[in-house]
Amino acid sequence: MTSYKDKVAGILSKRETPPLFYIRSFGCQQNVSDGEKTAGLLYSMGCGVSPDIASADIIIYNTCAVRESAELKIYGMIGELKHLKEKNPELIIGICGCMAQEEKTVKKILSVYKQVDLIFGTFALEELPRLLYEVLANRKTVSATDEYGMKINEGIPVLRTEKFKASVPVMYGCDNFCSYCIVPYVRGRERSRRPSDILNEVRTLAESGCREIMLLGQNVNSYGKGLDEKINFSGLLRLINETEGDFRIRFMSSHPKDADFELIDTIIECGKVCKHLHLPVQSGSSRILKEMNRGYTAEKYKEIIDYARMRMHGFSFSTDIIVGFPNETGEDFRETLDMLDYVRFDNIFSFIYSKRTGTKAALLTDNTLPENKSERMRILLEKQKRINEENYKRFKGRILDVLFDGKSKTPGYISGKSDEFIIAEALCEDLSVIGSQKKVRVTETMNWAVRGEIV
Ligand code: SAH
Ligand code: SF4
Ligand code: F3S
């Protein structure tokens, strides 16, 4: 039986030139990683990469549903595609990712955005060849959001955007059901990839000259649950660390309830692992953390920080914060500010709470005023700016390992990230340095980055 992949390839090979695709991924690294698989599938069926959206024959938006603002932006962008479709009726428009996994969203797209040909949720990624075949052969709109089992398909090709940096998913899904969060509904239950499959991928990447590998999962600390092998995330980190090659290892995200001292020890003891932990705290108030169903208290969180700093001076932390969870009081918020003072994060990613239909928190009546929420956000950002400014001063005169990944906005400078995940810039005319790791002596610090010279 001919596979759908071959059927699509057959149809496309009859064209004079291969159709070009343009994929834009929104949201988190997991989505970006899925986008690379979508690209890999299209490429393997004979499509080419479009240099821009205007010359594309296939446009795919890989969507994020985590906050309302993200969704609204995407709806706006889908709306704008109408003009492109009018100009080119042959254009194929696809919507995938987390929004496309929600039934209410799929219904809305089908009824309002007639320019869309193809909708496939996160569970249906590998169904793309069949769906595309139906669009090409029958010119009809298709959608797929069913759960196609919980198996992990290792066979999907990946077309990576960058050569020197790569992300490698280690687990998919989330079982935590934080009360505000839509992710468990659109990404399904936790499932881990086999260590051998992960190691093979890491080995191939290292051999091809990749300098940074980012391990991905909604909660990497629960890696290993349900596998035949007895292994946890720390065990996996040690295995990857032993892989030959000149690359550094990062990972995202860790959940504080599962982050233990063993993880800190592993980070410190493994030479390739960056001495930085992104540990989303969400709130400094134990009362709010309980309401969020996070499974830890502010005190438990601080214990991990204390242990890491006791073992290694200067261990770098970054975090996510939600401001204005339903009924957050001024006192709750003050505890979040106290947490910032206590930990002195090198970076925070902060969000105003966004109500997500279908989650537990969406059922709460919220007595916190929107203007209080935005005011708190302002105060939080202001505070973190000061902390960054003071924090980054510790790097002055020090030598950091920086993987350069592009030109900086500052003319003449190139930019990258240090092991601590801090933006570092250096004056450098030789653009071939981009994609390599260099030692940078820090001469200047700001509240958003450090600057220095390559040594
Ligand atoms: N699995 C990761 C987070 C994924 S979502 C983790 O637990 O760390 C990324 C961040 O978006 C979360 O850490 C949280 O800070 C934020 N977020 C998630 N749902 C949100 C909501 N409904 N409103 C505002 N921010 C939200
Ligand atoms: Fe969402 Fe919580 Fe899962 Fe993170 S751990 S994805 S915040 S439910
Ligand atoms: Fe968004 Fe889905 Fe990631 S909702 S944050 S793209 S898992």
Side-chain angles (χ1 to χ4, degrees):
M1 206 181 78
T2 328
S3 71
Y4 282 107
K5 243 175 157 175
D6 294 336
K7 285 186 185 173
V8 172
I11 296 179
L12 296 182
S13 67
K14 293 196 188 89
R15 299 196 178 188
E16 261 168 44
T17 52
L20 303 182
F21 64 84
Y22 173 91
I23 298 176
R24 176 141 179 215
S25 293
F26 301 84
C28 66
Q29 292 296 321
Q30 264 89 354
N31 235 27
V32 174
S33 170
D34 283 356
E36 292 182 334
K37 283 185 186 156
T38 310
L41 278 171
L42 290 171
Y43 192 75
S44 71
M45 292 185 284
C47 302
V49 181
S50 175
D52 50 46
I53 189 164
S55 24
D57 305 289
I58 302 173
I59 297 173
I60 293 187
Y61 284 162
N62 185 16
T63 62
C64 170
V66 80
R67 280 171 293 275
E68 192 186 16
S69 55
E71 288 200 348
L72 292 177
K73 181 175 157 196
I74 291 163
Y75 279 128
M77 291 179 66
I78 303 175
E80 283 165 23
L81 293 178
K82 201 171 165 188
H83 307 298
L84 286 179
K85 185 89 168 194
E86 278 162 3
K87 268 197 256 167
N88 172 17
E90 293 296 305
L91 177 67
I92 293 175
I93 297 175
I95 306 298
C96 65
C98 294
M99 277 170 76
Q101 191 57 51
E102 283 194 283
E103 232 166 86
K104 68 167 181 6
T105 310
V106 174
K107 275 199 192 124
K108 177 166 170 179
I109 296 176
L110 285 174
S111 66
V112 181
Y113 301 92
K114 301 283 185 203
Q115 63 272 34
V116 174
D117 301 282
L118 168 76
I119 307 169
F120 55 106
T122 57
F123 298 130
L125 177 60
E126 58 196 77
E127 292 293 306
L128 177 59
R130 176 176 66 79
L131 299 169
L132 187 59
Y133 173 76
E134 284 175 23
V135 173
L136 287 168
N138 311 327
R139 275 318 304 189
K140 65 170 196 191
T141 304
V142 291
S143 67
T145 52
D146 304 347
E147 286 200 27
Y148 288 90
M150 276 297 151
K151 65 177 179 5
I152 296 175
N153 185 346
E154 289 291 344
I156 302 185
V158 183
L159 190 68
R160 296 187 189 273
T161 15
E162 277 166 326
K163 211 179 156 345
F164 53 92
K165 274 197 310 193
S167 36
V168 173
V170 300
M171 50 94 67
Y172 300 93
C174 180
D175 290 351
N176 291 309
F177 290 93
C178 301
S179 63
Y180 51 81
C181 185
I182 198 73
V183 172
Y185 303 91
V186 293
R187 289 268 164 187
R189 299 291 60 74
E190 278 178 9
R191 52 236 188 254
S192 295
R193 288 177 73 193
R194 283 168 37 208
S196 55
D197 291 324
I198 297 169
L199 285 170
N200 281 339
E201 190 172 344
V202 168
R203 227 172 272 133
T204 312
L205 285 166
E207 281 164 9
S208 71
C210 186
R211 307 304 304 271
E212 180 179 299
I213 290 177
M214 166 84 89
L215 308 175
L216 294 183
Q218 288 302 345
N219 175 12
V220 290
N221 301 326
S222 58
Y223 175 79
K225 269 199 266 168
L227 284 175
D228 294 337
E229 291 96 328
K230 204 173 148 10
I231 183 166
N232 62 9
F233 184 63
S234 295
L236 179 72
L237 268 183
R238 287 187 191 276
L239 285 176
I240 297 174
N241 186 62
E242 283 158 21
T243 307
E244 234 173 274
D246 187 12
F247 61 93
R248 63 183 187 187
I249 304 167
R250 297 191 182 289
F251 54 87
M252 242 179 156
S253 276
S254 299
H255 195 304
K257 88 174 156 48
D258 301 314
D260 50 14
F261 294 166
E262 185 193 3
L263 176 69
I264 303 291
D265 292 342
T266 309
I267 296 173
I268 293 173
E269 287 158 21
C270 288
K272 289 189 172 100
V273 178
C274 293
K275 310 306 173 214
H276 160 254
L277 186 58
H278 182 67
L279 199 60
V281 67
Q282 313 300 359
S283 168
S285 152
S286 294
R287 184 188 79 81
I288 292 287
L289 288 171
K290 190 154 188 270
E291 290 284 307
M292 288 177 163
N293 190 31
R294 288 289 286 178
Y296 55 88
T297 59
E299 288 64 41
K300 162 88 196 316
Y301 187 88
K302 288 178 184 164
E303 274 174 26
I304 307 165
I305 307 287
D306 291 346
Y307 180 76
R309 296 260 163 88
M310 182 270 289
R311 286 235 33 209
M312 192 192 143
H313 178 70
F315 196 108
S316 171
F317 285 96
S318 58
T319 204
D320 293 350
I321 306 255
I322 294 179
V323 173
F325 184 82
N327 306 314
E328 179 192 73
T329 64
E331 174 59 19
D332 291 322
F333 176 64
R334 208 185 46 73
E335 289 180 353
T336 298
L337 293 178
D338 288 347
M339 185 61 93
L340 258 51
D341 273 327
Y342 189 90
V343 184
R344 303 184 68 77
F345 297 103
D346 276 329
N347 260 313
I348 67 166
F349 302 88
S350 44
F351 314 97
I352 291 187
Y353 167 79
S354 170
K355 179 174 162 176
R356 304 283 68 203
T357 308
T359 63
K360 274 224 168 109
L363 303 172
L364 297 169
T365 23
D366 185 3
N367 295 311
T368 310
L369 296 171
E371 51 267 39
N372 285 348
K373 297 189 182 192
S374 17
E375 175 63 3
R376 286 174 196 168
M377 185 63 152
R378 196 190 58 72
I379 295 171
L380 185 86
L381 292 175
E382 203 48 50
K383 181 172 197 75
Q384 184 58 28
K385 223 159 117 187
R386 275 204 311 279
I387 292 179
N388 276 358
E389 188 162 340
E390 292 158 12
N391 256 6
Y392 289 9
K393 282 189 183 141
R394 77 182 191 275
F395 296 116
K396 194 142 182 200
R398 265 177 56 187
I399 291 178
L400 301 182
D401 289 310
V402 179
L403 176 61
F404 286 100
D405 52 20
K407 272 163 70 171
S408 152
K409 284 196 188 111
T410 327
Y413 282 82
I414 57 171
S415 158
K417 289 270 176 72
S418 75
D419 270 12
E420 296 80 5
F421 216 42
I422 282 163
I423 300 174
E425 299 190 335
L427 202 57
C428 179
E429 277 173 9
D430 178 8
L431 294 185
S432 68
V433 170
I434 293 168
S436 61
Q437 185 166 316
K438 298 281 177 205
K439 299 227 175 275
V440 171
R441 188 195 317 277
V442 177
T443 52
E444 192 188 342
T445 65
M446 289 83 79
N447 60 22
W448 55 276
V450 300
R451 242 177 229 157
E453 52 207 15
I454 298 175
V455 293

